Amino acid sequence: MPMSKRPSPAKTPTDPAESVTRDLAEARAETAASPGSASAGMGTAAPATEPKRTRRGRPGYDRETLINKATEVFVARGYDGTSMDTVARELGITKSAIYHHVTSKEELLRLAINRGTDALASAVESESHREDLSALDRLRHAVHSSVLILIEYHHSVTLLLRVRGNSAVERDALEQRRQIDMKIRALVAEAIAEGGVRADFPPGLVTRLLFGMVNSITEWYRPSYPVDPETIAEAVTAMAFAGLAIPRRE
Amino acid sequence: MPMSKRPSPAKTPTDPAESVTRDLAEARAETAASPGSASAGMGTAAPATEPKRTRRGRPGYDRETLINKATEVFVARGYDGTSMDTVARELGITKSAIYHHVTSKEELLRLAINRGTDALASAVESESHREDLSALDRLRHAVHSSVLILIEYHHSVTLLLRVRGNSAVERDALEQRRQIDMKIRALVAEAIAEGGVRADFPPGLVTRLLFGMVNSITEWYRPSYPVDPETIAEAVTAMAFAGLAIPRRE
């Protein structure tokens, strides 16, 4: 069952979210290669309060870009061990330029994580309620969408998967994640009850393994990975629902 | 295809590796509840150079137990941020009691990680060479064994999966992991070539997803998890090779 209706967001060159999935080093190299470009424009005087769409390859340090870049720094260096001084240095801007947009490192973490969780939650929510589909098909769509979102927002989702509940922001993130997990688990249970999914393993275990596979993509996915997001999503759903083995003909 | 030949190690009460999978807090509570027991016996004078098997519930701080407990501390607190002072405090022993057995924190990390990698490498190695089996069956066995080993040595494997190459020890661990991955990937490619595994996705992607699912078990597995290791291994192989969906009868 091919599911190619949803365009692969990471392949759309003009998508503003693309910078989330670019390597920070790459972005820095570009910035360095073009002095005086818009990428150097976020000083203390920059009054950007609304997200500003920038041209490809010229990351402007408006609020959206700040969040995207900070997300990458948190992922690359670890959130706990990264000070706002380090974030500022890595982004090549001043700390006050960051505080122009956010009040604290915690707020930056919340904004960074919310990217991914909001997208995941709304995808799972909308797939869960499609009454025209069997529970199995809704589950399959939810898994497929989750893979694409995870790839599109992979730094954000990586942060989400790493939080351990050390602060109010982290506990909120864990709670959002738990809500998403519960919706998926309910879908798995419904698919089992409907006879669409094998009943020989507990729904909780099936959910953990399914999303273990999905979430593991954050570990290795890079925009340079030679397989496109749609094919990755197809591979996950094919393996999870139909299996890798080719049935032997009798 | 049930694969229940290999007994589940974590269920064998006398297995010395059991302490690896016990919660540190539990172990400490036990230690506190039995003053004067063997669990308090690791002082600077303890000349344990060989692993010593201790009775269940009475962890002796010989070399093996030290490594097991330190592994748990590294997993719980993060390796980088954990000093030898902290390890000693968490274990309720002196730092010199630790240095009696190892020369550095790095060495402790190497020993901690080697538990898991050695077991994984030898399992994958032995499954790879069984000439009586198809590549698909060898792959299935390798996945099944990997799940059981990951559960038995789950703190060790968790550490392995977290290292980022920040030191010689970490780079060695990454290289061992890469060797194991390459063997699995070769098995996947062989199974595809043999016609046992679907050919519509690249072997590298299939391997990543397969072991993404397997490795994700470290994220949630606890000895208190209500499903036994053998059933978890069965669920992984069933899902990966046969799929979750029940084929519709025409």
Side-chain angles (χ1 to χ4, degrees):
Chain A
M1 186 184 119
M3 291 195 284
S4 45
K5 288 158 295 184
R6 195 176 188 283
S8 159
K11 301 298 266 190
T12 314
T14 53
D15 193 298
E18 197 212 11
S19 63
V20 186
T21 56
R22 285 167 56 218
D23 273 340
L24 191 63
E26 252 175 51
R28 276 206 303 268
E30 264 174 21
T31 306
S34 41
S37 77
S39 62
M42 186 179 175
T44 47
T49 49
E50 287 295 311
K52 185 179 67 173
R53 303 213 167 193
T54 57
R55 279 173 302 156
R56 184 168 193 274
R58 297 286 178 271
Y61 286 88
D62 53 33
R63 193 165 182 269
E64 291 298 288
T65 311
L66 169 70
I67 297 167
N68 287 347
K69 297 270 163 229
T71 309
E72 293 177 34
V73 175
F74 289 153
V75 167
R77 305 181 69 102
Y79 172 75
D80 290 330
T82 304
S83 66
M84 284 295 249
D85 283 309
T86 305
V87 174
R89 196 176 59 241
E90 286 284 322
L91 267 58
I93 57 177
T94 63
K95 246 195 331 182
S96 60
I98 300 179
Y99 285 116
H100 182 76
H101 294 291
V102 296
T103 57
S104 64
K105 195 177 101 164
E106 284 269 285
E107 190 193 349
L108 204 44
L109 179 66
R110 185 174 58 77
L111 293 168
I113 290 176
N114 280 356
R115 292 290 158 93
T117 39
D118 289 352
L120 280 174
S122 69
V124 170
E125 185 66 22
S126 65
E127 296 298 350
S128 302
H129 293 291
R130 290 186 54 179
E131 288 179 11
D132 53 322
L133 297 177
S134 68
L136 171 61
D137 281 341
R138 278 177 283 148
L139 177 61
R140 205 192 313 252
H141 278 92
V143 168
H144 192 268
S145 297
S146 297
V147 172
L148 293 179
I149 288 165
L150 183 145
I151 289 174
E152 182 177 356
Y153 297 97
H154 89 272
H155 288 113
S156 174
V157 177
T158 302
L159 269 184
L160 170 67
L161 296 175
R162 284 192 195 162
V163 300
R164 290 293 174 261
N166 297 330
S167 65
V169 166
E170 295 198 3
R171 284 187 291 277
D172 283 351
L174 289 179
E175 177 57 25
Q176 282 174 287
R177 186 177 167 193
R178 204 180 62 85
Q179 297 283 341
I180 297 169
D181 285 350
M182 277 174 55
K183 287 211 174 73
I184 298 284
R185 188 174 165 152
L187 264 184
V188 170
E190 197 183 336
I192 291 173
E194 253 184 29
V197 160
R198 53 194 300 159
D200 44 358
F201 301 108
L205 176 60
V206 168
T207 307
R208 283 182 189 279
L209 294 175
L210 199 49
F211 275 78
M213 174 157 63
V214 171
N215 293 338
S216 73
I217 296 170
T218 59
E219 296 291 323
W220 52 266
Y221 182 77
R222 300 293 175 272
S224 58
Y225 189 70
V227 181
D228 66 289
E230 185 61 36
T231 304
I232 297 171
E234 286 291 327
V236 170
T237 48
M239 183 161 154
F241 295 101
L244 290 173
I246 295 171
R248 290 216 188 87
R249 289 197 185 79
E250 300 302 314
Chain B
M1 185 187 118
M3 291 194 285
S4 46
K5 290 157 295 185
R6 196 179 189 280
S8 160
K11 303 297 267 190
T12 315
T14 52
D15 193 300
E18 198 215 8
S19 62
V20 186
T21 55
R22 286 168 56 218
D23 273 340
L24 191 63
E26 252 175 51
R28 277 206 303 267
E30 264 173 19
T31 306
S34 41
S37 77
S39 62
M42 186 179 177
T44 47
T49 50
E50 288 295 311
K52 187 179 67 172
R53 303 211 168 197
T54 57
R55 280 173 301 156
R56 181 167 196 276
R58 296 288 177 270
Y61 286 87
D62 53 31
R63 193 164 181 270
E64 290 298 289
T65 310
L66 169 70
I67 297 166
N68 287 347
K69 296 270 165 232
T71 308
E72 293 179 33
V73 175
F74 289 152
V75 167
R77 305 180 69 103
Y79 173 76
D80 289 328
T82 304
S83 66
M84 285 295 248
D85 282 311
T86 304
V87 174
R89 197 176 58 240
E90 286 284 322
L91 268 58
I93 58 178
T94 64
K95 251 203 316 191
S96 60
I98 300 179
Y99 284 117
H100 183 75
H101 295 291
V102 297
T103 58
S104 64
K105 194 178 101 165
E106 284 268 285
E107 191 193 350
L108 204 45
L109 179 65
R110 185 175 58 76
L111 293 167
I113 290 175
N114 280 356
R115 293 292 160 93
T117 39
D118 290 352
L120 279 173
S122 69
V124 169
E125 185 65 23
S126 65
E127 297 297 351
S128 303
H129 293 291
R130 292 187 53 179
E131 289 179 8
D132 54 321
L133 297 178
S134 68
L136 171 60
D137 280 343
R138 279 177 282 147
L139 178 62
R140 206 193 310 253
H141 279 92
V143 168
H144 191 267
S145 297
S146 296
V147 172
L148 293 180
I149 288 164
L150 182 146
I151 289 174
E152 182 178 356
Y153 298 98
H154 89 271
H155 288 112
S156 175
V157 177
T158 301
L159 269 184
L160 170 67
L161 296 176
R162 283 191 197 165
V163 299
R164 291 290 173 263
N166 297 331
S167 65
V169 167
E170 295 198 3
R171 284 187 291 276
D172 283 353
L174 288 179
E175 177 56 26
Q176 283 174 285
R177 185 178 168 190
R178 205 181 61 86
Q179 297 285 341
I180 297 170
D181 286 350
M182 277 173 55
K183 287 211 173 73
I184 297 284
R185 189 173 163 152
L187 264 184
V188 170
E190 197 184 335
I192 291 173
E194 252 185 31
V197 159
R198 52 193 301 160
D200 44 358
F201 302 107
L205 176 60
V206 168
T207 307
R208 283 182 188 278
L209 293 175
L210 199 47
F211 276 78
M213 174 157 62
V214 171
N215 293 338
S216 73
I217 296 170
T218 59
E219 296 291 323
W220 52 266
Y221 183 77
R222 300 293 175 273
S224 57
Y225 190 70
V227 181
D228 66 290
E230 184 60 36
T231 303
I232 297 171
E234 286 292 327
V236 171
T237 48
M239 185 160 152
F241 296 100
L244 289 173
I246 294 172
R248 290 217 189 87
R249 290 200 183 79
E250 301 300 313

